[in-house]
Amino acid sequence: MSGVHYKFSSKLSYDVVTFHGHSISLGDLKHQIMARERLKAANCDLQILNAETSEEYSDDAQIPKNVSVIVKRVPARATAPKLHQPIGKASRNQNEPVRGTSKATPNLAEANAAEEDKIKAMMIQSCRYHEPLKRQHPQPRSPAGMEPPIKKVKKAEKPV
């Protein structure tokens, strides 16, 4: 069995993806890493860099055995279809909490939810915090004398 050592840029230790042969295609390596790390292809893509040279592998690359690589999560490509949401179904209500979290979850990073759901929850929570602050401040007023003059319009006479 051959293997490629990989680690995410935020981790300290390497893990190993094993395969048969002298090399593995970039697509197969990404697929195995996503399966091991329980990542959804619809949520993100992986950028694979050679750990020694920091060069990114191209889509048609063959990664040789016993190589160490750095993995970075990047947003999914815009052309990739979103497979996790059936067409024609409305998305989940944006104001409801992420599955496995409450509205006051202090640490979304540890929540048991998809990355996309965690981001949505973070955005909703940050907006909730700022809503009361914006409502407390009065609307800005223009300085005295700077308001445009009000024109009085005569009402048209109604025919009898």
Side-chain angles (χ1 to χ4, degrees):
M1 280 281 225
S2 304
V4 169
H5 301 272
Y6 75 94
K7 80 174 191 90
F8 284 87
S9 56
S10 61
K11 289 189 177 181
L12 298 176
S13 61
Y14 283 86
D15 290 312
V16 179
V17 168
T18 57
F19 56 93
H20 294 288
H22 296 288
S23 63
I24 185 171
S25 70
L26 182 65
D28 289 343
L29 178 63
K30 286 181 180 182
H31 181 73
Q32 285 195 27
I33 292 172
M34 291 182 102
R36 287 179 56 115
E37 301 293 329
R38 296 186 179 117
L39 299 173
K40 294 181 181 178
N43 294 342
C44 65
D45 193 14
L46 299 179
Q47 180 182 32
I48 310 293
L49 307 168
N50 184 304
E52 292 180 16
T53 64
S54 297
E55 290 181 34
E56 181 177 357
Y57 286 102
S58 61
D59 287 339
D60 58 345
Q62 291 288 322
I63 292 89
K65 65 181 181 179
N66 299 327
V67 167
S68 296
V69 297
I70 304 295
V71 180
K72 293 182 181 180
R73 279 193 294 190
V74 293
R77 292 188 176 118
T79 58
K82 297 244 178 194
L83 301 176
H84 67 282
Q85 183 176 353
I87 297 173
K89 295 255 181 171
S91 63
R92 192 170 54 79
N93 183 353
Q94 297 294 323
N95 291 327
E96 69 185 42
V98 172
R99 283 173 264 127
T101 67
S102 68
K103 288 185 179 184
T105 300
N107 189 356
L108 287 172
E110 294 177 2
N112 184 19
E115 192 74 18
E116 183 177 26
D117 289 338
K118 289 179 187 181
I119 292 169
K120 287 178 185 176
M122 177 196 63
M123 298 300 289
I124 291 167
Q125 287 178 4
S126 67
C127 290
R128 283 189 187 135
Y129 173 76
H130 291 287
E131 282 176 5
L133 295 176
K134 293 170 188 171
R135 290 184 185 149
Q136 290 176 0
H137 298 291
Q139 291 292 333
R141 297 182 185 184
S142 55
M146 296 301 287
E147 296 172 2
I150 299 173
K151 294 181 181 179
K152 292 188 179 182
V153 179
K154 292 183 181 180
K155 293 184 182 179
E157 295 182 17
K158 294 181 183 177
V160 181

